[in-house]
Amino acid sequence: MDGLNAILASAEADHHAVSLCVIAGTAGAGKTALALHWAHLVQDRFADGQLYVNLRGYDPGEPVAAGDALNRFIIALGVPVQAIPQDTEAAAALYRSLLAERSMLILLDNAAAVTQVRPLLPGNSDCLVIVTSRGRMSGLAVHDGAHRLTLGVLPEAEAVALLRAVIAGYRPEDDADALAELARLCARLPLALCIAAERAVTRPHMRLAELISDLKDESALWEALSTDDEEADAVRSVFAWSYRALQPAAARLFRLLGLHPGPEFGIGAAAALAGTSVRRVRQLLDVLVGAFVLEQTAPDRYEFHDLLRVFAAEQAQHEESAGQRDLATRRMLDWYLHTADSAQSWIEPAEDHLPLDVPAEAAAPLSFPDYDRAVDWAEQEHANFLPAVRAAEQAGFERHAWLLAAVLWNAQAPSAVVTDWLEMGRIGLRVARRIGDRAAEAKLLENLGFGHVQIHRTTEGLDYQYGALEIWQELGERSGQAAALNAIGLIHLRVRRLHDAEVCFAQAITAFGELGERHWEAVSVANLAEARHQAGRLQEAEDSIRRAMAAHRELGSKRSLGNALRIVSGVHLDRGEPDKAAKAANDALEIAADLRDHVLEGHWLLAFGDTQQALGHFDEALIAYQRSATLQRRQGDRSREARAWQGAGEAYGRLGRLSEAADFHRRAAAVQQELGHAWYEAMALDGLATVVRDDRPDEARRLWSEALRLLADYGDSRAEQVRERISGQLA
């Protein structure tokens, strides 16, 4: 602790170099605990907060690559997903620029290689980087000026004190020499000392000499298989000693938990792995936590120290047959798959459920009494979804792999970022193609299409949807064809190819109507209404949206009803009925809040902000636009974020704060130009020209002329009205 304090004091005194400290030490020495504890103590010394990532350099699974860690940090610093460069060097440059004016503590935990760390180093001397590693990271010391603190084993007196602190009150006073010998057998490492002390606590009537004798016998076994790393051998001796003292059921659960692919797990997944009841597995988990071989992180949530996770996986390999391991993995995957299917019933109730095989015996998937419980589960388990899909593919459970990917598209928490699912989708698509399941391939192409559109990769999204349409046509599956046509129409609508969108929606409406799929027919009717509204055909839009709303109310489709209310709000606004527009938009936002859906909230806030402007409530409008921009940024939707900026520019302009208004319009125009959204770029340029026309009339004329050029190819009545108005300004 003193060494870290000295490094911080030195960094605050010298602003000419980035401060970097490597806490090195053997496994189980307490590096992470020290770093986290110190970070908590000094959090007020870093005005802009802290960044943390576990690089998992020593986990049995894949370590976190520098590029993935960069993406997490850049998103945390407020950059939309699709704005992050694909190239690691370019992303690192963006990351350094974001930190250029910030004071932050950056903790890089469990690094195994310099290549994991170097791209994550800022170029700012106001930032301090702490790296924990089992290696010396000499490259960071030589080339990056890193300070190194080596966390060795505890001095004998401190090791004995730690043992006494754990066993105090549970055993008669133990002999100091015996405690010192126990500490030596634990290599005086905190993790091993805690496990050994807990073993002593659970045997209060057994003399310490007997416990030491048992540990010596275990140590002798490891010495026969010894490596050159005495500390590692000592730790593994303690692990094995403690493991063999577990009752058989607890020991079996311990090793089966080593098969879990994610960073932490819940009690349901643990019960599935063990093939036993939740009640029984909770008792066994309590035993493992009490033995210090497992850590409880929250109610019914658990994780391993990485050393113990490796040890558990090794015991599973040695003591469970390949068939038993496969059965346990199958039960766990069935639990995730069927529980996700249950969550889908609440999160996306309108989506068809995929046919699933009967779950393995004792998998015991969850069911949910309400929407919030389903979303809670999806949020808790989010970090395990991708590892589960990967594990399914690696273990040869190919049907589970693609089904998990497809079901999780509809069972993710509404607040989840879509990019977290895309890798699952790619795995699922790869497996579906490998096994030749064309329907599965089409389903995953459809989901990947929606996912890429959300991050504004519309060209890729369109390619995926046309791929899905082609397969559905090949299979003669009319419902799939209608869904693909509706999805293609949505992409055309998003980039304002309104005629193409209307054609697709009309075809989808016909097909869904003939198939009797009333919900999806109503969804397509609402989409048609939006296309007509954007084209300025208000009466046709109103007729369509009223029809869709009636169906959604009858069917109880809350999400679709909320979207219809957003469209109704826009129609009322264009008719000069701002009070009705505001009520419709507010009703939509209440639905988004009930659904805990940030994607919908961010989108529908744009409509609410517009209504507040029309009512003259400019402060309320600004709050709505700011919240919308924040949510859109988090989801990676740059176009809608820019539309929120444009709305803010209009509100500031009406407040007479012209400089701020101009800044927002410029930002909006620049993003829409980059994305190739000519319509929204023209709207932002029109807003900017309106703001600057009094002070800089020549610039205003140039901006309006450019807006007219961008609008030239649009043939709908709304575009004609906008062109006429701008031409009037130029005249």
Side-chain angles (χ1 to χ4, degrees), residues 31-335:
K31 301 180 295 296
T32 297
L34 170 64
L36 291 174
H37 180 63
W38 185 78
H40 176 72
L41 294 176
V42 299
Q43 59 185 331
D44 61 335
R45 307 278 282 274
F46 298 92
D48 298 299
Q50 302 182 359
L51 295 172
Y52 171 86
V53 64
N54 185 347
L55 294 171
R56 302 196 176 277
Y58 304 97
D59 274 19
E62 290 289 321
V64 177
D68 292 337
L70 273 172
N71 288 353
R72 297 182 198 179
F73 281 176
I74 292 171
I75 291 169
L77 292 168
V79 174
V81 173
Q82 81 283 6
I84 301 174
Q86 297 297 308
D87 177 70
T88 299
E89 288 188 13
L94 173 60
Y95 167 70
R96 287 191 294 271
S97 70
L98 291 168
L99 290 176
E101 302 296 329
R102 304 190 196 213
S103 169
M104 300 194 79
L105 176 64
I106 300 158
L107 179 51
L108 310 177
D109 199 15
N110 288 315
V114 171
T115 53
Q116 277 185 296
V117 171
R118 189 162 284 132
L120 302 172
L121 300 180
N124 174 10
S125 60
D126 289 331
C127 293
L128 173 61
V129 182
I130 304 293
V131 180
T132 71
S133 178
R134 295 181 197 171
R136 292 174 57 79
M137 293 284 170
S138 298
L140 294 180
V142 173
H143 299 291
D144 301 281
H147 305 272
R148 185 189 295 122
L149 297 178
T150 300
L151 203 60
V153 300
L154 294 175
E156 182 177 297
E158 292 184 21
V160 170
L162 176 57
L163 288 171
R164 285 193 187 280
V166 175
I167 66 178
Y170 293 96
R171 293 176 55 83
E173 185 72 19
D174 286 304
D175 179 71
D177 290 339
L179 288 172
E181 185 172 8
L182 180 57
R184 181 186 60 77
L185 288 169
C186 294
R188 303 202 305 274
L189 289 167
L191 177 63
L193 287 164
C194 288
I195 292 172
E198 188 59 32
R199 175 84 187 276
V201 165
T202 59
R203 304 291 191 278
H205 302 298
M206 191 174 187
R207 292 187 304 112
L208 198 57
E210 295 177 70
L211 291 170
I212 290 171
S213 178
D214 284 349
L215 181 50
K216 282 181 176 179
D217 290 342
E218 196 68 58
S219 299
L221 172 64
W222 282 105
E223 284 171 10
L225 306 170
S226 67
T227 68
D228 292 331
D229 189 341
E230 294 182 5
E231 291 170 348
D233 288 341
V235 170
R236 291 169 68 83
S237 296
V238 173
F239 288 174
W241 177 61
S242 182
Y243 168 68
R244 298 190 201 291
L246 294 170
Q247 56 179 281
R252 178 173 177 271
L253 175 61
F254 173 80
R255 60 181 178 263
L256 289 177
L257 289 174
L259 302 177
H260 190 278
E264 65 166 20
F265 47 85
I267 198 166
L273 277 165
T276 189
S277 69
V278 167
R279 180 178 180 180
R280 176 58 176 154
V281 89
R282 180 178 279 112
Q283 296 170 341
L284 297 175
L285 288 166
D286 286 344
V287 171
L288 297 180
V289 171
F292 276 83
V293 296
L294 195 65
E295 181 181 355
Q296 185 167 8
T297 57
D300 291 343
R301 304 296 297 178
Y302 302 86
E303 71 176 10
F304 279 120
H305 185 285
D306 55 6
L307 276 179
L308 284 159
R309 185 178 173 196
V310 171
F311 182 79
E314 288 175 350
Q315 302 319 301
Q317 291 292 322
H318 295 153
E319 299 187 40
E320 301 285 336
S321 69
Q324 290 171 323
R325 294 196 303 272
D326 282 348
L327 284 173
T329 301
R330 165 74 185 272
R331 288 193 301 268
M332 175 193 67
L333 293 173
D334 274 354
W335 184 84

Side-chain angles (χ1 to χ4, degrees), residues 299-555:
D300 291 343
R301 304 296 297 178
Y302 302 86
E303 71 176 10
F304 279 120
H305 185 285
D306 55 6
L307 276 179
L308 284 159
R309 185 178 173 196
V310 171
F311 182 79
E314 288 175 350
Q315 302 319 301
Q317 291 292 322
H318 295 153
E319 299 187 40
E320 301 285 336
S321 69
Q324 290 171 323
R325 294 196 303 272
D326 282 348
L327 284 173
T329 301
R330 165 74 185 272
R331 288 193 301 268
M332 175 193 67
L333 293 173
D334 274 354
W335 184 84
Y336 275 112
L337 179 58
H338 285 266
T339 302
D341 183 66
S342 177
Q344 177 190 318
S345 297
W346 290 101
I347 296 172
E348 289 285 1
E351 295 288 343
D352 290 336
H353 288 262
L354 292 168
L356 306 180
D357 297 331
V358 175
E361 188 178 355
L366 299 177
S367 58
F368 302 100
D370 55 39
Y371 178 88
D372 284 328
R373 297 286 182 86
V375 172
D376 288 343
W377 176 82
E379 289 178 345
Q380 277 188 330
E381 292 289 345
H382 182 78
N384 289 321
F385 291 157
L386 176 56
V389 175
R390 283 178 174 154
E393 182 187 26
Q394 291 166 0
F397 291 101
E398 293 181 314
R399 180 168 167 79
H400 282 81
W402 82 257
L403 279 170
L404 265 172
V407 172
L408 287 169
W409 171 257
N410 294 316
Q412 286 195 107
S415 59
V417 178
V418 70
T419 49
D420 293 344
W421 179 85
L422 291 179
E423 179 60 21
M424 296 183 235
R426 285 188 282 267
I427 294 171
L429 181 62
R430 179 170 66 237
V431 170
R433 285 174 168 165
R434 186 161 63 233
I435 64 177
D437 191 327
R438 296 287 277 166
E441 182 181 351
K443 189 68 179 174
L444 288 156
L445 285 169
E446 179 183 312
N447 295 342
L448 283 163
F450 281 119
H452 281 80
V453 169
Q454 284 189 35
I455 59 172
H456 202 73
R457 294 180 180 171
T458 51
T459 300
E460 294 170 72
L462 201 57
D463 289 343
Y464 281 121
Q465 296 295 0
Y466 274 119
L469 177 60
E470 182 180 340
I471 294 174
W472 292 130
Q473 289 171 337
E474 171 194 320
L475 297 175
E477 221 290 336
R478 288 201 69 206
S479 180
Q481 293 175 50
L485 286 166
N486 181 62
I488 291 167
L490 285 170
I491 296 175
H492 288 315
L493 179 63
R494 192 173 176 94
V495 296
R496 214 174 183 280
R497 293 193 287 264
L498 301 182
H499 174 72
D500 293 341
E502 285 199 51
V503 170
C504 289
F505 293 143
Q507 293 175 346
I509 290 166
T510 299
F512 282 132
E514 291 173 353
L515 292 167
E517 297 189 21
R518 292 187 61 213
H519 169 78
W520 292 112
E521 180 186 8
V523 167
S524 298
V525 169
N527 293 336
L528 178 63
E530 181 162 12
R532 290 171 169 173
H533 174 242
Q534 286 197 25
R537 290 148 49 200
L538 297 186
Q539 189 57 54
E540 293 176 76
E542 184 170 9
D543 292 344
S544 296
I545 201 60
R546 296 295 179 191
R547 173 187 164 193
M549 283 184 65
H552 289 318
R553 288 188 193 280
E554 182 183 343
L555 295 169

